[in-house]
Amino acid sequence: MPNARTEKGRATRARIVEGAAEVLREQGVVLTTLDDIRGRTGTSKSQLFHYFPDGKDQLLLAVAQFEADRVLEDQQPHLGRLDSWESWRQWRDAVVERYELQGDHCPLGSLFLQVGRAGPGARAIVAGLMRQWQEQLARGMRALQANGLVPSGLDVDRTAAALLAGIQGGVTIMMSTGDSSHLKAALDTGIEHLRTTGRTG
Amino acid sequence: MPNARTEKGRATRARIVEGAAEVLREQGVVLTTLDDIRGRTGTSKSQLFHYFPDGKDQLLLAVAQFEADRVLEDQQPHLGRLDSWESWRQWRDAVVERYELQGDHCPLGSLFLQVGRAGPGARAIVAGLMRQWQEQLARGMRALQANGLVPSGLDVDRTAAALLAGIQGGVTIMMSTGDSSHLKAALDTGIEHLRTTGRTG
DNA sequence: GAATTTCTGGACTTGCTGGTCCATTTTCCA
DNA sequence: TGGAAAATGGACCAGCAAGTCCAGAAATTC
């Protein structure tokens, strides 16, 4: 942790990241200025640049990583135990609740639009999140296969990719329309697909 | 068309919107300035404000509408004739091609992030687009039902919502990772779901 | 064809925001 | 305890981009 060599320093740095995440969630990247973050976190300009010498982009990147970590954490422990239909249902409810609660703003979506284009940093964060998320879904599907609940012929990776896409899109649509029905439809249809696939004559 | 009362005026206004759309697609909203648009469209500051008196937001909104219209147009005529498996396949290919060609930037996604929060205008544009898109998908599914290719018990609206969410998410992921496999997975899995659903014992 | 409206050019203003700088305080450590 | 390193406060700077303004050209209209 460069430029945070003391206990107090690490605390301040963390306060900045968390406070910035709050402000960004409320106002969006475009409308948020360093002064907003300063105000929220009770810090001074020099502190911001002391902990993030490369300026705003570096801070945004740190916030993006912070938010990305939260995404998967918030789905635990359900996401880690997708081995029965009941556990899938619980996970589904957790996802819906999390995003309905979050309201109409996606911290990551807007963050990587700001930083994403220029730097490979933001892309790497998003790509990493997507990879991990999809892996966990795939693992859950394999657990269903192991329990004989889903035919072993299922293309797990493709199905997991499709489900992940559905969630992403559901969240996106929810953020622009305020309606979570697409997210629910994607989750429910995806799970239903698992239940019915491969049973064709 | 306020402030474009003459033929020449309408042409200029259209040139501004189309040129702005180009620049925005290339650079993204955040990096695009009015001077960029001015340069691309060969116009002066006063022209921009003559045709869009409320400034940049109003112009962005016009571009958003312009792009939203294109989204559905680019899927025609396939989207209008989803009455056979072959036509669904053609539509699927058209969607994939369109977004792969468009590369790594979603004109609407970023546009409504900029304007979206504040004004209901951008939300209305996106919501309207989603509604129309989903309606056309639902109509296609009903056509399949009418042709006996899909069981009549299928919840068409929910399935269409899920498919739309999958497309959105697939595009979103593609834009941040450069990989179109999620989009393809969502489309293929969605169509496969249509083919296999309801055939369970 | 003259009056009036619309359209265009571009200089100028204004406000904000990211970023710099340095003085001061606090913490660390020998 | 005293000096070095880290942390903090806040004034200041520079640049940029949105928006204003007015003069003049083109067009419409009667």
Side-chain angles (χ1 to χ4, degrees):
Chain A
M1 198 96 60
N3 298 329
R5 297 169 161 79
T6 199
E7 199 53 49
K8 192 179 178 188
R10 275 185 291 275
T12 302
R13 201 196 123 105
R15 199 172 75 241
I16 291 173
V17 171
E18 286 163 30
E22 276 180 34
V23 180
L24 287 167
R25 247 176 275 135
E26 292 168 14
Q27 307 186 344
V29 181
V30 188
L31 300 178
T32 300
T33 72
L34 289 185
D35 263 13
D36 292 333
I37 297 172
R38 230 178 39 63
R40 175 72 60 106
T41 59
T43 50
S44 68
K45 219 55 172 304
S46 67
Q47 281 172 291
L48 258 42
F49 282 88
H50 179 72
Y51 295 105
F52 304 94
D54 293 344
K56 196 180 189 183
D57 281 357
Q58 192 185 3
L59 172 54
L60 288 180
L61 217 57
V63 174
Q65 186 64 62
F66 174 77
E67 294 283 11
D69 292 342
R70 273 185 16 138
V71 169
L72 292 181
E73 276 171 23
D74 287 356
Q75 294 177 57
Q76 299 299 358
H78 311 293
L79 185 58
R81 303 179 185 277
L82 293 175
D83 52 3
S84 69
W85 295 125
E86 174 60 16
S87 58
W88 277 83
R89 197 192 55 74
Q90 286 176 352
W91 165 76
R92 177 262 191 219
D93 289 345
V95 171
V96 171
E97 188 190 358
R98 186 232 145 103
Y99 283 103
E100 279 187 341
L101 229 148
Q102 180 174 279
D104 63 349
H105 205 275
C106 174
L108 278 175
S110 45
L111 275 174
F112 84 81
L113 275 173
Q114 166 94 345
V115 196
R117 193 133 257 253
R123 286 200 164 207
I125 291 175
V126 176
L129 170 61
M130 292 301 152
R131 189 179 40 73
Q132 287 182 59
W133 199 340
Q134 184 174 332
E135 262 172 24
Q136 301 232 42
L137 292 177
R139 187 176 311 163
M141 291 181 191
R142 291 204 186 87
L144 291 180
Q145 284 180 326
N147 292 343
L149 296 167
V150 158
S152 61
L154 178 74
D155 185 340
V156 165
D157 289 321
R158 202 191 66 174
T159 312
L163 180 53
L164 180 60
I167 297 169
Q168 289 307 309
V171 171
T172 304
I173 295 175
M174 193 181 99
M175 286 183 320
S176 54
T177 65
D179 173 20
S180 65
S181 67
H182 287 81
L183 175 60
K184 290 176 186 164
L187 285 164
D188 293 338
T189 307
I191 294 175
E192 188 185 297
H193 184 66
L194 287 176
R195 293 184 105 121
T196 61
T197 191
R199 305 201 182 163
T200 275
Chain B
M1 197 98 59
N3 297 329
R5 296 168 162 82
T6 198
E7 199 52 50
K8 192 179 177 188
R10 275 186 290 276
T12 302
R13 200 195 124 104
R15 199 172 75 240
I16 291 173
V17 172
E18 287 163 30
E22 277 180 33
V23 180
L24 288 167
R25 246 176 275 135
E26 293 169 13
Q27 307 186 346
V29 181
V30 188
L31 301 178
T32 300
T33 73
L34 289 185
D35 263 13
D36 293 333
I37 297 172
R38 229 179 39 64
R40 175 72 60 106
T41 59
T43 50
S44 68
K45 221 44 173 309
S46 68
Q47 281 173 290
L48 258 42
F49 282 87
H50 179 73
Y51 294 105
F52 304 94
D54 293 344
K56 195 179 188 182
D57 281 357
Q58 192 185 1
L59 172 54
L60 289 180
L61 216 58
V63 174
Q65 186 63 62
F66 175 77
E67 295 282 11
D69 293 342
R70 273 185 19 137
V71 169
L72 292 181
E73 275 171 24
D74 287 358
Q75 294 178 56
Q76 299 299 359
H78 311 294
L79 185 57
R81 303 177 185 277
L82 293 175
D83 52 2
S84 69
W85 294 125
E86 173 59 17
S87 59
W88 277 83
R89 197 191 55 75
Q90 285 176 354
W91 165 75
R92 177 261 190 221
D93 289 345
V95 172
V96 171
E97 187 190 359
R98 186 231 146 107
Y99 283 104
E100 280 188 338
L101 228 148
Q102 180 173 279
D104 62 349
H105 206 276
C106 175
L108 278 175
S110 45
L111 276 174
F112 85 82
L113 276 171
Q114 165 93 345
V115 196
R117 192 130 258 252
R123 286 202 165 205
I125 290 175
V126 176
L129 170 61
M130 293 300 152
R131 189 179 40 72
Q132 287 182 58
W133 199 341
Q134 184 174 332
E135 261 171 25
Q136 302 232 41
L137 292 177
R139 186 176 311 162
M141 291 180 191
R142 291 205 186 85
L144 292 180
Q145 285 179 327
N147 292 343
L149 295 166
V150 158
S152 61
L154 177 75
D155 185 340
V156 164
D157 290 321
R158 201 192 67 172
T159 312
L163 180 54
L164 180 61
I167 296 170
Q168 288 307 309
V171 171
T172 304
I173 296 175
M174 192 180 100
M175 286 184 320
S176 54
T177 65
D179 175 18
S180 65
S181 67
H182 288 81
L183 175 59
K184 290 175 187 165
L187 284 163
D188 293 338
T189 306
I191 294 175
E192 188 186 296
H193 184 66
L194 286 176
R195 295 184 101 121
T196 62
T197 191
R199 306 203 181 159
T200 276

